[in-house]
Amino acid sequence: MDLYEHQARELFEEHGIVVPRAEVTDSPARARDIARALGGRAVVKAQVKTGGRGKAGGVRLAADPAEAEEAARHILGMDIKGHTVGTVMLAEPCDIEREFYVSYVLDRAAGRFLAIASAEGGMDIEEVAAQRPEAVARIPVDPAVGVHTATAVRIADAAGLPPQTVDTLVRLWKVLVREDALLVEVNPLVRTVDGRIVALDGKVTLDDNARFRQSRWGDEQSMSADPLEARAGAKGLNYVKLDGAVGVIGNGAGLVMSTLDVVAGCGARPANFLDIGGGASARVMADGLSVVLSDPDVRSVLVNVFGGITACDAVADGIVRALDEVRLTKPLVVRLDGNNAARGRALLDARAHPLVEQATTMDGAARRAARLATAAATAGQAG
């Protein structure tokens, strides 16, 4: 259950995190009034549950109320990655000195949370993670211990964040725990020229299993979801639509996130995040492949699984059975490692599907999937 930015901002403010003054509207005329109340200048931001708003033209800085009205009129109704903009948030601008990135995300495979932070936040954080992974710190967090001051200091030190961010790191953890969240992300978290630490943007994903405790958000979550995300959610899949060409399926949030980074490092962009968790039955694999393959942007698919409780041969059997249900139209690269990996590879070899190939390492699998996606895109342009 993803929240809109303005809803995430509301949660942050309730937990003592500094956020800019802001208000939401669906009216250009009202946007003029809000900008006037904010002091004239305003940042006008599309409220949709997808990334890339800035690059799509869904975020504009208005110098005065008249510009704010015009910006709102332009953004409202805009289509951003299949999401129609129904509301905009007008926020008070900040004089930024530095931008950072911070998040907490559930790592299902490890049974804990992961703190991800970088001293280089902003729109290009994905490129930073791909080109210089050492600039992004990943710190495991034991949910039984949580993030107190000492842990927050360790996260800040590992990422090169200033000491002033420690309090915000502690408060963001409280948001995650108290609001039943699976993901809490701020990009960018900024230090202003007057020394304040301010959350300029926010993304929060709540646990659907706790929906009965989160009734304050109503039913609008399901009404406004990305169509593929809604379809995946109906099948019980943990899926997030991204904007690349390589479909990614893995078991465990930490492994899937690492796979996204490696794919990006190979010069391709991931098309989605799909965590099948501990289960990789034929039904789960068929559902997962069906959702990923139905994305018209996908040019190749990478399945990256580390066998643990669920053995690799069970995963391979799920893939084989899924191929009998789902018509595979795009190349599928499979990397199996861990428990019963050899048996799993043998099962896939025996199936001998012409569009399925295997790789023994995550790097090798990602490189191959990236090349296949690039080749498919080139062929499509030539055609």
Side-chain angles (χ1 to χ4, degrees), residues 41-380:
R41 296 173 64 237
V43 182
V44 186
K45 309 175 77 174
Q47 295 300 283
V48 286
K49 298 176 185 177
T50 187
R53 293 175 301 168
K55 294 179 180 179
V59 178
R60 294 191 172 198
L61 177 62
D64 55 48
E67 280 193 19
E69 180 177 359
E70 180 58 30
R73 181 173 289 107
H74 174 83
I75 294 172
L76 288 167
M78 177 185 273
D79 181 280
I80 301 178
K81 298 181 184 177
H83 297 253
T84 301
V85 181
T87 59
V88 293
M89 183 178 78
L90 285 85
E92 185 177 33
C94 288
D95 294 323
I96 301 170
E97 182 183 85
R98 285 190 64 188
E99 295 186 345
F100 315 109
Y101 173 91
V102 297
S103 70
Y104 295 115
V105 63
L106 176 63
D107 184 343
R108 295 177 187 274
R112 62 192 179 193
F113 283 87
L114 196 63
I116 304 175
S118 175
E120 302 181 37
M123 290 174 60
D124 298 324
I125 184 61
E126 291 181 356
E127 285 73 12
V128 171
Q131 297 172 12
R132 291 185 298 105
E134 70 279 1
V136 182
R138 293 170 171 81
I139 309 297
V141 177
D142 184 344
V145 177
V147 176
H148 302 288
T149 299
T151 306
V153 168
R154 185 158 59 92
I155 295 168
D157 287 346
L161 305 180
Q164 302 101 302
T165 61
V166 168
D167 179 66
T168 300
L169 289 170
V170 173
R171 293 179 184 275
L172 284 171
W173 177 259
K174 291 179 179 177
V175 172
L176 182 119
V177 173
R178 295 176 181 175
E179 304 299 334
D180 301 306
L182 301 177
L183 167 71
V184 172
E185 177 185 78
V186 181
N187 184 35
L189 179 71
V190 305
R191 182 171 64 196
T192 63
V193 293
D194 58 1
R196 296 180 301 147
I197 300 297
V198 181
L200 285 196
D201 200 347
K203 180 177 181 180
V204 174
T205 300
L206 305 182
D207 188 346
D208 277 339
N209 294 312
R211 189 181 286 268
F212 68 97
R213 286 200 296 256
Q214 301 297 336
S215 58
R216 65 188 282 191
W217 306 118
D219 294 328
E220 65 174 321
Q221 308 308 320
S222 57
M223 294 167 55
S224 304
D226 178 272
L228 284 173
E229 291 182 1
R231 179 178 169 188
K235 296 178 181 294
L237 297 172
N238 186 18
Y239 172 93
V240 178
K241 176 76 172 76
L242 302 175
D243 59 359
V246 178
V248 176
I249 302 175
N251 62 331
L255 178 62
V256 179
M257 290 184 65
S258 297
T259 306
L260 301 185
D261 288 343
V262 175
V263 167
C266 294
R269 295 182 67 83
N272 65 272
F273 171 108
L274 176 52
D275 173 18
I276 59 175
S281 65
R283 179 76 271 142
V284 171
M285 288 306 306
D287 288 343
L289 283 172
S290 176
V291 170
V292 172
L293 291 170
S294 63
D295 182 350
D297 295 332
V298 167
R299 303 285 186 170
S300 69
V301 181
L302 170 57
V303 176
N304 185 23
V305 169
F306 186 85
I309 296 174
T310 300
C312 288
D313 57 339
V315 175
D317 182 63
I319 294 173
V320 168
R321 293 176 183 273
L323 291 174
D324 293 331
E325 297 186 31
V326 179
R327 180 171 174 266
L328 188 61
T329 57
K330 297 162 186 176
L332 175 67
V333 181
V334 182
R335 179 258 185 172
L336 301 175
D337 196 8
N339 186 13
N340 285 353
R343 288 187 61 188
R345 296 185 196 118
L347 286 171
L348 291 176
D349 285 339
R351 179 62 172 80
H353 193 289
L355 288 177
V356 177
E357 55 185 272
Q358 298 190 63
T360 56
T361 67
M362 180 164 67
D363 287 348
R367 279 195 299 272
R368 182 59 180 157
R371 287 171 186 162
L372 288 167
T374 301
T378 301

